[in-house]
């Protein structure tokens, strides 16, 4: 079964509103989680590294005030898309690693549609 | 800038043939390399990873790594229609967390019955 779970699987929101996506590690503790975004027919682009108990590290070009990341516990990271716009519509995927560094689990992904 | 390059394809092979997928990376500090399969609308699924030069086999899949050439490949033997998907090559980050991956754009593979 899944060891990293995302919720919701899909969400539709109105332009200007905020939406929160959760990423949970189910059987292990993850001090670091990663958030990716994937537009149709494109690859996964890393948005940010979520660090438990501290601020997230954002990749170049990603607005930290728009994509709020909170990693309040060792098993939960949340991504909040604030003031969403249609161009934010995308597939958002989280990942977490365990052990040696070669065991990386991906969540099921969350489809966001902003109308 | 750390990059992972793949031929976007599409790559089309007949059922039962060998599919060969290629990938190059720019960051010499990358330690581990991953091949993921992604079906449309779904999250990536890990096929295998490799971190030592040479070949690594797992069932119908063989990954090859050549660090001197900064080249990674994936061979799929006895290709099946169910193998039709986008294959993503990824490299782990040098420095910082090993779980941080840089992905290529993916190669679309179609296996024809």
């Amino acid at each position: 079964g899944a060891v990293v779970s995302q919720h919701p699987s899909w969400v539709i929101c109105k332009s200007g509103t905020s939406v929160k996506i959760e990423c949970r590690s189910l059987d292990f503790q993850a001090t670091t989680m990663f958030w990716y975004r994937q537009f149709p027919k494109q690859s996964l682009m890393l948005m940010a590294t979520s660090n438990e108990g501290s601020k997230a590290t954002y990749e170049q070009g990603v607005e930290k005030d728009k994509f709020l990341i909170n990693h309040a516990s060792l098993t939960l990271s949340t991504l909040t898309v604030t003031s969403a716009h249609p161009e934010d519509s995308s597939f958002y995927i989280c990942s977490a690693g365990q052990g040696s560094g070669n065991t990386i689990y991906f969540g099921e992904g969350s489809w966001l549609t902003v109308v | 800038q750390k990059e992972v390059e793949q031929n976007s394809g599409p790559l089309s092979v007949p059922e039962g043939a060998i599919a060969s997928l290629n990938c190059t990376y720019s960051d010499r500090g990358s330690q581990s390399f991953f091949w993921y399969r992604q079906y449309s609308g779904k999250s990536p699924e890990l096929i295998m990873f490799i971190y030592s030069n040479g070949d690594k086999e797992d069932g119908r899949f063989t990954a090859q790594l050549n660090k001197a050439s900064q080249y990674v490949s994936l061979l799929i033997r006895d290709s099946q229609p169910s193998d039709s998907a986008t294959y993503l090559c990824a490299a782990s980050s040098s420095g910082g967390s090993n779980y941080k991956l840089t992905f290529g754009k993916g190669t679309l593979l179609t296996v024809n019955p």
Side-chain angles (χ1 to χ4, degrees):
Chain A
V3 294
V4 173
S5 179
Q6 274 183 250
H7 178 81
S9 300
W10 57 270
V11 57
I12 300 173
C13 71
K14 291 185 177 180
S15 185
T17 63
S18 296
V19 60
K20 181 186 288 186
I21 301 170
E22 295 184 345
C23 178
R24 294 182 183 273
S25 57
L26 300 181
D27 298 317
F28 64 100
Q29 295 179 333
T31 56
T32 306
M33 293 185 177
F34 301 90
W35 286 97
Y36 295 84
R37 177 169 56 183
Q38 186 177 34
F39 292 109
K41 297 188 178 182
Q42 295 189 25
S43 190
L44 280 73
M45 296 299 296
L46 180 66
M47 297 176 66
T49 301
S50 175
N51 303 300
E52 189 269 335
S54 64
K55 292 182 179 180
T57 305
Y58 291 83
E59 296 299 303
Q60 188 174 8
V62 178
E63 300 176 59
K64 63 180 181 180
D65 294 330
K66 180 171 181 63
F67 298 99
L68 301 180
I69 291 172
N70 184 283
H71 195 152
S73 78
L74 287 169
T75 59
L76 174 64
S77 174
T78 60
L79 168 68
T80 301
V81 183
T82 64
S83 186
H85 291 286
E87 56 265 32
D88 298 324
S89 300
S90 187
F91 190 43
Y92 291 85
I93 310 171
C94 70
S95 73
Q98 182 184 31
S100 65
N102 293 317
T103 305
I104 302 171
Y105 302 104
F106 280 85
E108 305 96 326
S110 300
W111 283 101
L112 170 63
T113 301
V114 184
V115 297
Chain B
Q1 185 174 358
K2 302 173 184 176
E3 294 182 344
V4 175
E5 301 285 344
Q6 291 181 255
N7 186 329
S8 61
L11 174 65
S12 183
V13 300
E15 184 175 355
I18 296 175
S20 178
L21 304 163
N22 304 314
C23 171
T24 59
Y25 60 95
S26 64
D27 183 6
R28 284 195 173 274
S30 293
Q31 298 293 316
S32 300
F33 305 88
F34 303 79
W35 282 101
Y36 287 87
R37 176 174 62 197
Q38 186 177 29
Y39 294 110
S40 181
K42 300 295 184 181
S43 191
E45 305 169 16
L46 179 66
I47 297 174
M48 62 193 307
F49 64 85
I50 186 168
Y51 52 84
S52 298
N53 273 327
D55 296 358
K56 179 181 179 182
E57 186 174 321
D58 184 0
R60 296 187 295 114
F61 301 95
T62 299
Q64 299 173 318
L65 173 61
N66 184 324
K67 291 186 177 181
S69 301
Q70 296 176 246
Y71 174 85
V72 191
S73 67
L74 179 71
L75 298 177
I76 306 175
R77 290 181 297 282
D78 188 23
S79 295
Q80 301 298 309
S82 58
D83 295 328
S84 298
T86 296
Y87 288 79
L88 300 170
C89 173
S92 66
S93 175
S94 60
S97 173
N98 288 333
Y99 307 134
K100 180 178 176 180
L101 300 179
T102 300
F103 282 87
K105 292 185 177 180
T107 299
L108 177 61
L109 172 66
T110 301
V111 181
N112 301 305

